[in-house]
Amino acid sequence: MSKGPGLFFDIGKKAKDLLTRDYISDQKFSVSTYSDAGVVLTSTAVKKGGLSTGDIAALYKYRNVTFDVKVDTESNISTIVTLNGIVPSTKTIASVKIPDHNSGKLEVQYFHDHATFTTAVALNQNPIVDVSATLGTPSFAFGAEAGYDTTSGNFTKYSAGISVTKPDSYASIILGDKGDSIRASYVHHLDQLKKSAAVGEITRRFSTNDNTFTVGGAFAVDHLTVVKAKLNNNGKLGALLQHEIVPKSLLTIAGEIDTKALDRIPKFGLSLALKP
């Protein structure tokens, strides 16, 4: 794939990952094993309140094709097949979830040095078509996306965004929810390896005049340990500690506190991911 502006999905993703990725309030345990044939098997168990769920996933790569199959405790089977380069500079993704046969979806992504395009179609009798396009360079990108319901003839969504990327910072603005919300974010890296960073994000919803402002960051204590924290104007404080016990084996301890209701019991989560 060429080095272009990236997909529309990538606009604002750096800030989103810093503020949401690995934050958990549930108990989670996962183990991954790698076979000589290139198959990755991952078993995951999650306990949320008094409910326990689990799944087993298998990932296999053969040349330009990737197979990803997941089976959960509710007898759902999710399958994703990704094909790279059937047509030059393209990626094709087909997915389906059984027994919900109407969940089938086909997506094609096209990459160019100065543009990317995606088209996704639901494989059912009443398909919804999603399209997106991004123009620019790795340093500056402008994009838009839209979803169209072929049955009702209505747009299900439309959004537009812009991003600016520099060696030590990243900024983005996204107008989403059919023009009802705007989200601006800024990420500043604090080291050359980009393991430590500060992030700020503000979201305004015009229909309700609600503003949400969130600040956070990640700090690499050493090459094995990362600490992250976030706080928004509603008083939600989140923090996590992630430590690599052995290579590819991560222990994550995360918690969330409502500072405006300290009499409530804080939520804490524990995640252990072992990847031999």
Side-chain angles (χ1 to χ4, degrees):
M1 300 299 176
S2 62
K3 294 182 179 180
L7 300 175
F8 179 80
F9 173 79
D10 296 326
I11 297 179
K13 186 175 182 296
K14 293 181 180 179
K16 182 179 179 181
D17 285 347
L18 274 172
L19 293 174
T20 62
R21 188 175 181 180
D22 297 325
Y23 283 96
I24 56 174
S25 59
D26 311 315
Q27 296 179 0
K28 179 180 178 181
F29 180 81
S30 63
V31 178
S32 298
T33 58
Y34 297 75
S35 69
D36 295 335
V39 179
V40 181
L41 294 175
T42 303
S43 301
T44 303
V46 179
K47 185 177 181 180
K48 186 175 183 179
L51 181 63
S52 298
T53 60
D55 60 65
I56 298 177
L59 179 67
Y60 177 66
K61 293 183 180 180
Y62 178 74
R63 295 183 179 178
N64 294 331
V65 184
T66 301
F67 301 91
D68 190 351
V69 181
K70 180 184 293 185
V71 182
D72 62 29
T73 52
E74 298 181 355
S75 300
N76 295 312
I77 302 175
S78 301
T79 303
I80 301 175
V81 180
T82 304
L83 302 94
N84 291 301
I86 296 182
V87 177
S89 300
T90 64
K91 177 187 291 186
T92 304
I93 304 172
S95 62
V96 66
K97 187 175 182 179
I98 300 173
D100 183 9
H101 300 283
N102 291 325
S103 63
K105 185 177 181 180
L106 179 64
E107 179 177 353
V108 178
Q109 303 174 351
Y110 172 74
F111 298 85
H112 185 269
D113 288 342
H114 299 291
T116 61
F117 302 93
T118 67
T119 301
V121 181
L123 303 179
N124 52 48
Q125 295 180 349
N126 305 310
I128 294 178
V129 181
D130 294 331
V131 296
S132 70
T134 307
L135 304 175
T137 66
S139 300
F140 177 83
F142 171 80
E145 68 170 355
Y148 182 75
D149 190 333
T150 58
T151 302
S152 64
N154 297 322
F155 284 97
T156 60
K157 64 178 179 180
Y158 44 83
S159 308
I162 187 172
S163 68
V164 178
T165 303
K166 294 184 177 181
D168 60 349
S169 62
Y170 175 86
S172 68
I173 299 176
I174 299 176
L175 181 66
D177 298 316
K178 297 182 180 180
D180 186 48
S181 69
I182 187 169
R183 183 173 74 251
S185 62
Y186 177 77
V187 177
H188 188 83
H189 299 288
L190 304 177
D191 60 356
Q192 294 183 349
L193 297 178
K194 298 184 179 181
K195 290 186 176 182
S196 299
V199 58
E201 181 182 85
I202 184 169
T203 302
R204 176 173 176 80
R205 187 168 293 276
F206 299 108
S207 60
T208 59
N209 290 323
D210 287 337
N211 296 314
T212 303
F213 181 65
T214 308
V215 294
F219 177 71
V221 179
D222 53 40
H223 67 287
L224 298 176
T225 308
V226 175
V227 177
K228 294 175 64 176
K230 62 179 179 178
L231 175 67
N232 65 22
N233 60 313
N234 295 318
K236 298 288 187 179
L237 173 64
L240 72 82
L241 172 68
Q242 191 170 74
H243 180 71
E244 186 174 11
I245 304 174
V246 294
K248 296 184 179 182
S249 298
L250 301 175
L251 171 65
T252 303
I253 302 174
E256 182 181 274
I257 299 176
D258 186 350
T259 59
K260 293 185 178 181
L262 293 178
D263 55 326
R264 299 178 184 176
I265 299 176
K267 295 180 179 180
F268 293 96
L270 174 64
S271 173
L272 179 61
L274 303 176
K275 299 180 180 180

